[in-house]
Amino acid sequence: MAGQNVSQRTHRYDAFLSYSHAADSAKADHLRRGLQNFARSSWRHLRALRIFLDHASLSANPGLWPEIERHLADSGAFILLACPRSAGSDWVQKEINWWRAGLGAPRMLLVVTGGELKWDHGAGDFDWEHTTCLPRTMAGMFSDEPRWVDLRWMSEEDPGSLRDSRFQQCVADLAAPLHGRPKEDLIGADVTRQRRTRRLVRGALAVITALAVTAGLGWVNAVQQRDEAQRQARLATSRQLAATALNLKDGNLRLASLLAIEAYRMQESPEAIATLNRLSTDSPHLVSMMSSAKDISALAFSTDDKAVAVGDEGGAVAVWRAGSRVLRARTSLPGRITAVGFSQDGKRLAAGDSKGNVGVYDLTRKTLRRLAPRPKSVSSLGFGMAGQLAVVDEAGTVALYGESGEMVRSKRTGHSGTVTVFQNVDSHLLVRDRVGGGALYTVPELRTVQDSNELVLPGGQHLAAVSNGGHCFGYLKFGQLISTGLPKRKGHESLAVTCPDFPALPNEEARSLALSDNGRMAVGTASGITVADAQTKGETGRLRTLTGVGRPSLLRFSDTGERLASAHGRTVALWNFQQASRTAHAHGLPLSDDETMIHSPALAVGPDGQVAWDNLMQDDPVGKEARLHVWSPKGRRMLVGGDDLLYGALAFSPDGRTLYAGLSGKVQSWQVQDTRLVKRRTVPLSGRQDDYRDPVVISPRADGSLVITTDDGAVHVADPSAQRTRIAVPRGTGDPQRGLLSSLSDDGRTAAVENVKGGVDLYDVDSGRKMQSVRLDGEKVNALALAGRGHALFLDGSRGTFARWDLDAQRFRWQSDEPNGARVTSSADGRTVLTLADSGALTRWDADTGDRLGGPDIPLPLHTLSGIGGIGQHTGFVMDSAGTLWTATEGGEVLSWDFSVASWIEGLCRIADRNLTDAEWRRYVGTTPPSRPTCD
């Protein structure tokens, strides 16, 4: 084979591989790839050698032989993979015989993959007694012992890597004669090629890496630009939805609430948060909204105000809990529901329809009993205390049913009743009609005691209504309610009671009217509902506007007059006039107002939700001096203590087991026990006893020590066993008429103290070192608060500036020029900042941007001795670790307020009681509706 160079090839293939398909298929393919790749002259060449490998099966049709014979003729060498199975293969022997007859042994290479190969030097041929890998037909083919390659170490199942050193040596042995070059030269050339290839790969990788970095930077920039464009698009959509929600809130609060929630989800912008807050605090008396399948046609409250019955045009009747959206029962009659009413015990519900059907539904057993029908549409009905039922139809017929449902008596009276009610311990039945007349009948005889058909309505447009008890009748014209009563009759003076005087209403067209028996009027107009309280001597009646429901078609007071149900189309809204705000929660904790001076009760919240305040309760005994109260929401437990008239500061220990109370010149420790407060210790403040030193803020530490600021600007520290405090920061003023503001971080490590120049100094309490000084340009500080963890200071200035100072960066984060003039409090993390103005307005601010987000107003107390100065100056307020605000107003009550976005969304979802429809989404958002609902 020597002397043939690859560049001088005269054959198509450099070698023909002959092998046993059953034994050496994987090895043959591995060897072919090794020969093709070994010692390639350049990476541009596909292969170094062309090797023919027949992948046909030995069971193929013998007609395949001419094709194999052609490839044998096109090959310059013959490589035999020798093993016992190839020695016995007819195809392999046929290929050997063809090659022997042609180029013969000089162009044949042997590769032993199995069996034995032994040369007999004496005979000059293979030792056929011991050779098992070659066929006998090769006897005499070689005159000298051939060199052969041993691949018996290679596994057919796993041939291994092409770069295996043993395999590379075998490949080099075979490639050298095929290339016509020494084996050492080929190995050197292969190594050189590999090195050159590695250099090229490394260079290519470097170029690719550089390009990738450049492309990556471009991609990052493109992604950032894309993300910013998407953020701006979301922000624009969020602002549009927020603005739309504000436009819709007065007439369609349900849709406005859903749009406001989606605006916040699009982008948590100040505008979206402010809209959520605005919608959560508007219409403070609104409790809930419910939906009906048809337009609402009848409403009624239970006598205890806890349930409301809703009848609709389709004949359905639903009973809902008045304080929530919980459905208690559902039933139906064939016709349009025209009247509904509860029994006195609230266990039964009567309903009448436009076809004269009457049904009584047992709310306990969930069963409906149909009574004898009336000839005309039912106009009104009512239960007596003993369980009997009176029904009046449009023809003026009164029917009396017993508790068991049988008809007791029926009488044609001529009064088509708007109200039917039992009076005088069920001895009489009063029926009032729509025109001002009415009649009084005895029960059960239905004997007429008094009958008045006097028409008292004026000509032209007007609205008339009768209160639930029948005592108040009046009509509304030109914004003024005119009332009349039935003529007096001896023994029945209650019939002559008329409605009280109400203030004149705005000149707006009215569509519906409701009256209560306790002096309240509700009027439905195009813009919503106006509620008027009766005028009393020397006082003008109060007017309130209820918005969010549009023009109501039906209004109905509860018997107490404290609740109102309104219907607008298929929506029922429930209102509670004792509810001060939808974001406030009353806990039945009314405070007295026994001070003629302006006083905001000291207030503190503990780690377990307990609340402490310094103020007498309305039901405390006269002359009782115990002013400290601790109330726990768990079990609604109240503890009472204290031995002073006025405490200036309160704080709970970190475990909530001790209440610290500061008063002039000292701090008391009160142990919170199961049934009472027990005073354990009193620590006097350092300094002369006649100094003006009222505690302003108390911050208990985890090690049991206390940090106290006093209104002379001093900061005191009381160690756990100390008999007296030590002064960490000296007082800033000796003027007893001037107090200085101060605040402490939750851990008591940082103090913010007003100085006599109107600025604020920040101190490290442990060392007493002044760290920073802050001053609003040209303004005196009116109020300040350190965020609980001491990283931010909020300042309110005398000229309306509200600002955030960043303690870490030592600069103002923002300054807002919106007029404020209020006291300040902050959550522990500094993310929620609230102010309380003298007017009682609570305002949440965006702690990151300084945007005013709005808030509710603290309800005015009914009675107060110290009415000057504004309600805000009579209110203490503090925020707990969960972000809930607590307020305590003298003459008012203790309230908790929801100021988290999550609580606002939850409340708005309760009001909405549905999700955005696909049509609403496309109309207001303009994209494909998402799969997730707005409210779960």
Side-chain angles (χ1 to χ4, degrees):
M1 290 183 201
Q4 182 189 18
N5 191 286
V6 174
S7 62
Q8 300 172 349
R9 289 176 181 141
T10 58
H11 300 88
R12 180 180 179 188
Y13 297 103
D14 295 292
F16 181 99
L17 266 174
S18 179
Y19 64 99
S20 168
H21 289 260
D24 293 327
S25 291
K27 293 178 183 178
D29 185 68
H30 208 58
L31 184 60
R32 177 182 64 85
R33 289 189 286 124
L35 289 169
Q36 287 177 342
N37 293 326
F38 186 76
R40 279 189 296 168
S41 60
S42 171
W43 62 271
R44 295 188 297 271
H45 292 90
L46 183 61
R47 58 182 67 86
L49 295 169
R50 290 179 61 86
I51 308 298
F52 175 78
L53 180 65
D54 179 15
H55 291 287
S57 171
L58 291 178
S59 62
N61 192 294
L64 180 64
W65 172 250
E67 183 70 14
I68 293 178
E69 190 175 27
R70 185 173 64 84
H71 289 300
L72 281 166
D74 283 341
S75 300
F78 187 92
I79 301 175
L80 173 63
L81 272 59
C83 69
R85 299 190 71 172
S86 67
S89 169
D90 293 338
W91 282 93
V92 172
Q93 290 186 30
K94 199 171 182 179
E95 292 167 352
I96 293 173
N97 292 337
W98 191 96
W99 191 262
R100 184 173 183 175
L103 296 178
R107 303 296 294 171
M108 177 178 283
L109 301 174
L110 299 180
V111 180
V112 179
T113 61
E116 296 294 331
L117 180 66
K118 190 173 182 180
W119 182 261
D120 186 347
H121 292 279
D125 199 354
F126 293 105
D127 183 353
W128 297 106
E129 292 293 331
H130 297 91
T131 298
T132 60
C133 63
L134 297 176
R136 287 274 186 162
T137 56
M138 290 181 65
M141 186 174 179
F142 292 90
S143 57
D144 295 312
E145 179 181 4
R147 183 175 180 182
W148 52 276
V149 175
D150 190 354
L151 281 182
R152 286 177 292 185
W153 55 269
M154 183 183 289
S155 169
E156 172 69 10
E157 290 76 17
D158 184 13
S161 171
L162 292 174
R163 306 308 302 177
D164 186 288
S165 60
R166 293 182 297 171
F167 181 70
Q168 287 287 296
Q169 288 294 328
C170 296
V171 170
D173 286 338
L174 295 171
L178 296 177
H179 282 277
R181 298 174 61 187
K183 174 182 175 180
E184 294 76 9
D185 291 349
L186 286 179
I187 292 177
D190 186 66
V191 171
T192 301
R193 182 188 63 81
Q194 291 184 44
R195 290 175 178 172
R196 183 169 63 249
T197 301
R198 282 197 293 268
R199 287 195 299 270
L200 288 172
V201 169
R202 288 171 182 166
L205 285 176
V207 173
I208 292 172
T209 301
L211 292 175
V213 170
T214 303
L217 292 175
W219 177 81
V220 169
N221 184 52
V223 170
Q224 289 176 343
Q225 292 181 352
R226 181 205 64 187
D227 291 345
E228 177 62 20
Q230 291 177 347
R231 191 190 72 82
Q232 291 295 336
R234 289 195 303 270
L235 180 60
T237 303
S238 173
R239 288 173 172 170
Q240 178 183 353
L241 290 175
T244 304
L246 291 176
N247 288 334
L248 293 174
K249 70 178 182 64
D250 289 340
N252 192 344
L253 184 59
R254 305 179 83 182
L255 177 57
S257 299
L258 296 174
L259 295 180
I261 294 170
E262 292 296 346
Y264 176 78
R265 288 178 176 166
M266 288 281 180
Q267 189 78 22
E268 296 180 11
S269 62
E271 295 88 350
I273 297 174
T275 301
L276 286 175
N277 184 48
R278 179 72 179 276
L279 267 63
S280 297
T281 55
D282 273 8
S283 295
H285 305 300
L286 181 61
V287 176
S288 61
M289 291 186 181
M290 294 90 68
S291 298
S292 176
K294 302 288 184 179
D295 287 350
I296 310 301
S297 56
L299 296 169
F301 281 94
S302 61
T303 55
D304 60 3
D305 290 5
K306 293 182 178 180
V308 61
V310 179
D312 66 26
E313 300 278 353
V317 180
V319 179
W320 300 83
R321 295 191 186 277
S324 65
R325 294 177 298 149
V326 177
L327 180 65
R328 289 185 53 191
R330 191 184 295 276
T331 187
S332 64
L333 292 176
R336 168 181 176 270
I337 304 300
T338 55
V340 287
F342 287 91
S343 62
Q344 296 294 318
D345 58 9
K347 295 181 179 180
R348 292 187 297 162
L349 174 72
D353 69 10
S354 58
K355 298 180 179 180
N357 297 292
V358 180
V360 176
Y361 186 80
D362 191 313
L363 295 171
T364 303
R365 299 178 181 178
K366 308 296 183 184
T367 57
L368 177 67
R369 180 176 59 192
R370 297 279 291 272
L371 306 184
R374 308 308 309 142
K376 297 289 185 179
S377 172
V378 175
S379 58
S380 63
L381 50 79
F383 278 101
M385 297 175 62
Q388 65 270 46
L389 175 67
V391 179
V392 180
D393 62 24
E394 287 188 347
T397 302
V398 178
L400 190 63
Y401 298 86
E403 186 177 8
S404 60
E406 77 284 357
M407 183 179 291
V408 177
R409 192 69 53 89
S410 176
K411 180 178 181 179
R412 178 72 176 269
T413 66
H415 293 285
S416 177
T418 298
V419 170
T420 300
V421 59
F422 286 86
Q423 290 188 341
N424 303 328
V425 196
D426 289 359
S427 63
H428 293 80
L429 181 69
L430 175 66
V431 178
R432 294 293 303 261
D433 57 30
R434 296 182 177 88
V435 296
L440 188 67
Y441 309 101
T442 60
V443 176
E445 300 85 1
L446 295 182
R447 179 175 55 84
T448 302
V449 176
Q450 182 172 347
D451 192 348
S452 174
N453 292 313
E454 181 180 358
L455 179 64
V456 297
L457 296 179
Q461 293 183 341
H462 63 274
L463 281 176
V466 185
S467 62
N468 292 354
H471 300 296
C472 178
F473 170 83
Y475 62 87
L476 189 69
K477 191 173 179 66
F478 301 125
Q480 185 70 43
L481 184 79
I482 309 298
S483 63
T484 62
L486 292 176
K488 290 185 178 180
R489 183 176 177 85
K490 188 175 181 180
H492 300 286
E493 287 77 5
S494 62
L495 292 178
V497 176
T498 61
C499 299
D501 293 331
F502 291 98
L505 301 179
N507 188 17
E508 188 174 3
E509 184 180 1
R511 293 298 183 91
S512 55
L513 176 67
L515 299 169
S516 73
D517 287 306
N518 66 340
R520 187 163 282 158
M521 175 176 63
V523 182
T525 68
S527 60
I529 304 170
T530 299
V531 176
D533 292 336
Q535 298 181 153
T536 58
K537 187 175 181 180
E539 294 185 8
T540 302
R542 181 182 180 183
L543 286 177
R544 282 173 284 194
T545 300
L546 312 182
T547 60
V549 295
R551 178 184 298 172
S553 57
L554 189 62
L555 296 170
R556 183 68 180 263
F557 278 108
S558 65
D559 289 348
T560 62
E562 296 299 336
R563 290 182 180 267
L564 176 71
S566 65
H568 173 67
R570 300 180 179 183
T571 300
V572 177
L574 300 181
W575 312 81
N576 183 358
F577 300 109
Q578 293 181 325
Q579 175 179 283
S581 171
R582 284 191 284 127
T583 59
H585 304 280
H587 304 282
L589 303 171
L591 305 184
S592 69
D593 184 10
D594 58 345
E595 301 288 343
T596 56
M597 60 182 292
I598 296 177
H599 167 63
S600 59
L603 193 63
V605 291
D608 296 328
Q610 64 267 50
V611 185
W613 61 88
D614 158 47
N615 203 93
L616 294 176
M617 306 294 289
Q618 288 187 8
D619 55 357
D620 283 341
V622 177
K624 186 176 181 179
E625 299 300 331
R627 296 179 58 91
L628 290 181
H629 294 77
V630 174
W631 179 79
S632 175
K634 299 177 182 178
R636 305 182 69 82
R637 182 183 54 152
M638 177 74 77
L639 307 180
V640 179
D643 55 8
D644 194 86
L645 290 176
L646 203 63
Y647 289 91
L650 299 176
F652 280 97
S653 62
D655 60 9
R657 298 177 180 176
T658 304
L659 176 67
Y660 299 101
L663 59 160
S664 183
K666 56 190 174 183
V667 175
Q668 297 175 344
S669 300
W670 294 81
Q671 186 177 5
V672 181
Q673 297 186 352
D674 291 336
T675 58
R676 60 188 180 129
L677 296 176
V678 178
K679 186 165 71 172
R680 292 300 188 190
R681 185 166 175 245
T682 300
V683 180
L685 303 180
S686 295
R688 296 180 304 173
Q689 292 298 312
D690 57 350
D691 287 342
Y692 187 74
R693 298 187 315 277
D694 282 343
V696 178
V697 184
I698 301 174
S699 179
R701 291 182 171 183
D703 61 3
S705 62
L706 296 177
V707 180
I708 307 108
T709 64
T710 51
D711 56 6
D712 60 356
V715 180
H716 298 251
V717 177
D719 295 324
S721 58
Q723 300 300 313
R724 183 178 292 271
T725 67
R726 58 182 173 85
I727 297 179
V729 177
R731 66 179 183 173
T733 179
D735 184 357
Q737 301 302 317
R738 179 176 184 182
L740 297 176
L741 304 171
S742 60
S743 180
L744 291 169
S745 61
D746 280 351
D747 59 8
R749 303 293 179 186
T750 306
V753 182
E754 180 192 9
N755 57 43
V756 293
K757 296 180 181 180
V760 177
D761 298 323
L762 292 157
Y763 293 92
D764 177 77
V765 174
D766 291 330
S767 64
R769 178 177 58 89
K770 183 191 296 186
M771 300 183 297
Q772 304 171 33
S773 290
V774 185
R775 184 173 182 83
L776 292 172
D777 187 21
E779 294 185 62
K780 180 182 179 296
V781 173
N782 280 338
L784 61 89
L786 267 173
R789 294 168 188 165
H791 298 293
L793 174 67
F794 297 95
L795 303 171
D796 181 74
S798 58
R799 298 181 182 175
T801 300
F802 188 50
R804 172 180 172 172
W805 175 265
D806 192 314
L807 273 69
D808 296 329
Q810 299 190 24
R811 64 178 180 84
F812 281 110
R813 180 82 168 266
W814 47 258
Q815 296 186 59
S816 173
D817 294 330
E818 295 185 69
N820 190 39
R823 289 180 291 146
V824 188
T825 189
S826 168
S827 62
D829 58 9
R831 298 183 63 183
T832 304
V833 185
L834 300 173
T835 58
L836 173 61
D838 292 345
S839 64
L842 287 165
T843 302
R844 175 177 173 171
W845 299 76
D846 189 304
D848 292 328
T849 64
D851 291 322
R852 182 193 290 265
L853 303 180
D857 293 336
I858 292 177
L860 291 172
L862 294 178
H863 305 287
T864 178
L865 297 176
S866 49
I868 62 172
I871 186 62
Q873 295 190 29
H874 299 262
T875 300
F877 75 135
V878 66
M879 184 167 288
D880 64 20
S881 58
T884 300
L885 179 73
W886 290 83
T887 63
T889 305
E890 60 171 352
E893 59 183 324
V894 177
L895 298 172
S896 60
W897 302 77
D898 293 330
F899 267 93
S900 69
V901 171
S903 66
W904 293 343
I905 291 177
E906 181 181 356
L908 292 177
C909 281
R910 283 198 301 269
I911 292 299
D913 192 32
R914 68 176 182 87
N915 292 298
L916 283 174
T917 65
D918 289 354
E920 288 171 337
W921 183 276
R922 290 189 177 92
R923 177 181 178 184
Y924 295 104
V925 184
T927 61
T928 301
S931 58
R932 59 156 178 81
T934 302
C935 297
D936 293 334

